[in-house]
Amino acid sequence: MFSRSDFNIWSVLKNCIGKELSKITMPVVFNEPLSFLQRMTEYMEYAKLLRIASEQADPVERLKYVSAFAVSALASNWERLGKPFNPLLGETYELTRPEFRIICEQVSHHPPISAFHADSESFSFHGSIHPKLKFWGKSVEIQPKGTVTVEFPKLGEAYSWCNVNCCVHNIIVGKLWIEQYGVMDVVSHKNGLKATLNFKTAGVGNKDLHRVEGYISDRNKRKTHFLYGKWTEFIKCTDYVSYEEYCKENGYKFKRADERSKSPNESPGTTPRKVLSKLNSLKMSSFKSLSISEPDDPPEPAEGDIPKSDSTYSIDIPNSVTLWEAEARPGNTAEYYQFTNFAMSLNQMEDHMKQPRALCPTDSRLRPDIRKLEQGDMDGAAAEKTRLEEKQRENRKKSKKGDDGGLFPRWFKHTINPHTKQEDWIYQGGYWERTDDSFELDIF
């Protein structure tokens, strides 16, 4: 990856406070060489958890592993500071692995909406994401609007949830770091079961950095199991009685030291007016560090640091079972956008894809701007990114005139999700059986 240390980020962001970053053209230096469709595919890194869930006879056991899968989908976000490329309307991405196959499509450009459908012999997993990004002076907040659904067709069961928010800290001062926060409810629509997971903010002393805690409740809202761990590392589960017994002697591990800290549902946009006024007066900046202190300012020694978890508060409750553990990243991950092994494979042109018409012509692997960035050609990537954005604008003009034949979206339909009863983008089928002989799609 390229060094961003000398790039003038403030020249881009100073006019973005409180705005959606999806509407701001960002320099390619901020990107990682993946499309958002590929980034969304990283949901599936631990797809084996869904297979394990489908093999459980007890619905509570199934919910445990579905909940672990929901948390595992966020693990690859840690230290991933590059922005994925915005998909073009009609762009697709496919991936086949032993545990699943998945097809993604960019179904809307304004607002940007990405839909996906993964399936296997034992499950299907689908949803649509409408990411919203906002800059709040010292941080960027990513809100992954949308609902995702897991189905076990042979069991006639479905589960759904919404992902929590993500915040990138120290945008202006210090080293960047990522925090996931909010409440995630994983609902079993058939059995009336629910897992409520609280992704905690770091808190004073970083006691709760990366911490996830929650419980499973039955249809009578009785808590039966306790879930806990870190979204970067692992998730464990124990019965609620064991948790309560553990709390009697270790209650301090579960109480927040900073009761005055913001609620997970609060916007990080609580940047003091004094700080904003100082930011607005800045002319130049560095990506890694930028001093905004004034002589009369009180010292803030923690400002700009990357927090480290305090091992004093490690939790290991008796009778716990480990549901999921994150795989170690490659040793050179810091040189390659902090990618996991799974992420590193997503741009690979496999041999069978090189055959004529084997790969859909709208697949993200064929995007020249992403490929050039991956190859280290920054100027070429920037030029191609600009060209593709201009071409998309021309295609939109044709679409308004009806000249595109109504091609997009091609694989998903905007309708009602039968399980959540909410609007969603549902896979129509046909992608894996396509021939592409009827017409050529030219978006790249």
Side-chain angles (χ1 to χ4, degrees):
M1 62 178 289
F2 287 90
S3 171
R4 303 184 178 107
S5 59
D6 298 324
F7 198 84
N8 187 352
I9 185 175
W10 185 242
S11 67
V12 179
L13 293 182
K14 64 183 179 181
N15 296 318
C16 302
I17 296 177
K19 297 180 181 179
E20 287 188 37
L21 293 189
S22 59
K23 298 180 180 180
I24 306 298
T25 299
M26 302 292 285
V28 75
V29 70
F30 294 126
N31 286 83
E32 63 179 21
L34 291 177
S35 165
F36 181 73
L37 299 182
Q38 294 166 297
R39 187 73 179 263
M40 193 165 59
T41 300
E42 293 184 57
Y43 271 132
M44 304 304 296
E45 182 169 0
Y46 299 97
K48 65 180 181 181
L49 293 172
L50 295 182
R51 174 184 54 79
I52 295 172
S54 72
E55 296 169 350
Q56 306 302 308
D58 185 349
V60 174
E61 293 298 312
R62 292 195 288 273
L63 179 55
K64 289 180 185 178
Y65 283 100
V66 171
S67 301
F69 172 78
V71 175
S72 75
L74 305 177
S76 68
N77 288 342
W78 176 237
E79 296 187 317
R80 290 281 289 281
L81 303 173
K83 177 183 178 296
F85 282 76
N86 294 331
L88 304 171
L89 180 61
E91 183 177 332
T92 60
Y93 181 73
E94 67 171 72
L95 187 68
T96 301
R97 290 289 185 267
E99 291 277 3
F100 67 90
R101 65 180 184 179
I102 184 171
I103 168 62
C104 310
E105 181 179 15
Q106 189 70 5
V107 296
S108 174
H109 182 57
H110 289 302
I113 302 176
S114 307
F116 68 90
H117 181 94
D119 57 41
S120 72
E121 293 183 358
S122 57
F123 68 84
S124 68
F125 175 52
H126 56 87
S128 55
I129 306 297
H130 171 199
K132 287 189 174 183
L133 291 79
K134 286 190 175 183
F135 173 54
W136 293 107
K138 294 192 294 183
S139 62
V140 168
E141 182 185 39
I142 300 98
Q143 302 172 344
K145 303 291 186 180
T147 302
V148 296
T149 303
V150 167
E151 296 184 46
F152 298 128
K154 295 178 182 178
L155 301 172
E157 281 186 353
Y159 303 75
S160 64
W161 65 92
C162 298
N163 286 310
V164 295
N165 290 348
C166 177
C167 186
V168 182
H169 292 278
N170 298 342
I171 291 295
I172 302 300
V173 180
K175 296 180 180 180
L176 301 176
W177 65 280
I178 289 175
E179 186 173 34
Q180 306 272 2
Y181 57 88
V183 176
M184 175 189 291
D185 290 325
V186 183
V187 178
S188 171
H189 295 281
K190 180 179 179 180
N191 300 301
L193 303 172
K194 182 170 72 171
T196 301
L197 299 167
N198 182 15
F199 289 70
K200 297 191 171 187
T201 54
V204 173
N206 307 316
K207 170 184 173 182
D208 291 327
L209 182 65
H210 305 153
R211 285 260 299 267
V212 181
E213 292 177 5
Y215 54 86
I216 291 176
S217 54
D218 59 21
R219 62 174 64 253
N220 297 317
K221 299 184 179 180
R222 182 177 64 91
K223 298 175 182 178
T224 61
H225 292 80
F226 182 71
L227 297 160
Y228 65 100
K230 296 184 177 183
W231 59 267
T232 53
E233 298 179 33
F234 67 92
I235 287 294
K236 294 182 179 182
C237 183
T238 188
D239 62 275
Y240 210 76
V241 174
S242 295
Y243 161 66
E244 290 181 314
E245 289 294 324
Y246 184 83
C247 282
K248 290 179 181 178
E249 298 182 1
N250 302 274
Y252 69 96
K253 294 185 178 181
F254 299 92
K255 292 181 181 179
R256 292 297 298 263
D258 55 335
E259 295 296 334
R260 293 175 296 177
S261 66
K262 65 177 182 288
S263 162
N265 295 322
E266 274 186 36
S267 165
T270 55
T271 308
R273 188 173 299 176
K274 182 179 179 182
V275 173
L276 292 179
S277 65
K278 286 186 289 184
L279 293 177
N280 285 326
S281 68
L282 293 173
K283 302 287 186 180
M284 298 292 291
S285 64
S286 163
F287 190 89
K288 280 188 177 178
S289 63
L290 170 64
S291 175
I292 61 172
S293 62
E294 296 176 352
D296 58 345
D297 279 347
E300 296 180 350
E303 183 72 33
D305 290 344
I306 298 179
K308 297 186 183 300
S309 182
D310 188 341
S311 59
T312 303
Y313 297 101
S314 61
I315 298 172
D316 191 8
I317 304 174
N319 303 316
S320 294
V321 175
T322 299
L323 301 174
W324 162 75
E325 284 185 293
E327 294 185 6
R329 298 191 183 187
N332 59 352
T333 183
E335 301 172 31
Y336 293 94
Y337 301 89
Q338 301 289 351
F339 280 2
T340 63
N341 280 311
F342 185 86
M344 286 186 176
S345 71
L346 295 180
N347 254 353
Q348 180 69 22
M349 285 290 292
E350 300 172 22
D351 290 339
H352 75 276
M353 297 176 180
K354 299 176 183 178
Q355 302 299 319
R357 297 188 179 278
L359 194 62
C360 191
T362 52
D363 195 276
S364 300
R365 296 176 183 85
L366 303 177
R367 279 189 62 159
D369 51 354
I370 292 179
R371 188 63 66 183
K372 285 185 179 295
L373 180 60
E374 183 180 70
Q375 295 168 348
D377 184 358
M378 177 70 73
D379 293 337
E384 286 292 344
K385 181 173 179 284
T386 299
R387 182 185 67 82
L388 291 177
E389 289 170 350
E390 292 176 350
K391 185 171 184 176
Q392 180 167 234
R393 283 190 282 270
E394 290 299 318
N395 287 340
R396 288 193 68 205
K397 291 179 182 178
K398 293 180 181 179
S399 178
K400 290 180 179 179
K401 295 179 181 178
D403 296 339
D404 67 347
L407 300 181
F408 308 122
R410 190 177 178 194
W411 308 111
F412 289 80
K413 181 180 181 180
H414 191 222
T415 184
I416 299 297
N417 184 314
H419 305 292
T420 64
K421 310 303 180 184
Q422 298 176 352
E423 291 185 353
D424 204 348
W425 288 86
I426 304 297
Y427 178 57
Q428 300 185 81
Y431 177 83
W432 303 103
E433 300 78 26
R434 74 192 185 283
T435 62
D436 286 335
D437 291 331
S438 57
F439 53 81
E440 288 291 337
L441 300 177
D442 182 19
I443 63 172
F444 300 146

